[in-house]
Every structure is written in structure tokens, then in C-alpha cells.
Amino acid sequence: MERFLNALDERCHSVPQALRTDAEMQEVYVPAMRADVAVEETYEYLPETPLECPVSTFGGESDTECRITDLEAWQVHTSGKFTLNVLPGDHFFFQTSRESVVKLLVEQAG
């Protein structure tokens, strides 16, 4: 468990201390985190017809894991409206920009 959390922290730079010390949290969250990593490591992209619905992307302006160009690349997956949302912060921008994210989601869904 500790090796996985260390590797994840090295990769994402944000494993909360509570997750390292709380066995109940580990029991709930670590299996899902392992599954996410497995999907990321084994996913193989297959081109398909673009969606006909709007697509909105969200990212942090200081994110080194998912760059703005990565977000822009999602535009090819829709023939509808594409919206790029860049907010202050890093890969976990939603923790500090929660209100902005919710506001934009509501605006863009309507």
C-alpha cells in the first residue's frame, strides 16, 4: 500500500496525508485509485465519429500533468461546440477553484 501511494504521489504530487494514515480511507479510495491507474496504463485510443454534443474541458493553468494543448486536443471529439476552460491552479485546480468550476458547468450545460 505504501509503495503504491508513494508512486502515486511521485506521479501526481498530491496524495493527502489523511489517506496515508487512515486505514478506512485507504480501504475506500485505494482500490478505485488502482483501477484508475490501470485504465490509464492500458487504454488504447481507437478513432471514432465525433460526438454531436457540446464538449467542455477544464484544466489548471499551472498543470504539468495535463497541458493546455492536451485539453485543446479534445476538440476533435465533437462536431458540436467546444469550450476550453483554464483556471488558476495545478492538476488539482478544482480544489481551489471549486466555485468557478461549478459556475462554468452550470453555464455551459444550460
Side-chain angles (χ1 to χ4, degrees):
M1 176 80 64
E2 187 174 340
R3 283 183 53 206
F4 174 73
L5 292 176
N6 288 343
L8 189 62
D9 199 30
E10 186 175 311
R11 185 178 196 170
C12 299
H13 314 290
S14 189
V15 171
Q17 188 61 31
L19 186 57
R20 291 182 176 280
T21 59
D22 187 322
E24 188 175 326
M25 280 186 71
Q26 289 175 2
E27 187 177 319
V28 171
Y29 289 104
V30 170
M33 294 164 73
R34 286 184 190 275
D36 285 350
V37 170
V39 166
E40 182 181 356
E41 291 178 346
T42 60
Y43 175 76
E44 184 177 328
Y45 172 73
L46 299 173
E48 292 188 27
T49 304
L51 301 169
E52 295 179 11
C53 63
V55 171
S56 296
T57 59
F58 293 81
E61 65 187 0
S62 303
D63 190 345
T64 58
E65 300 293 318
C66 182
R67 294 172 180 79
I68 303 304
T69 54
D70 298 327
L71 298 172
E72 292 170 334
W74 281 91
Q75 188 166 359
V76 301
H77 297 290
T78 183
S79 60
K81 182 179 179 184
F82 174 79
T83 307
L84 172 65
N85 300 280
V86 181
L87 299 160
D90 58 13
H91 193 65
F92 296 94
F93 68 91
F94 53 86
Q95 293 176 348
T96 55
S97 299
R98 185 173 294 134
E99 287 182 28
S100 296
V101 170
V102 171
K103 181 181 176 196
L104 289 166
L105 284 169
V106 169
E107 288 173 2
Q108 293 168 24

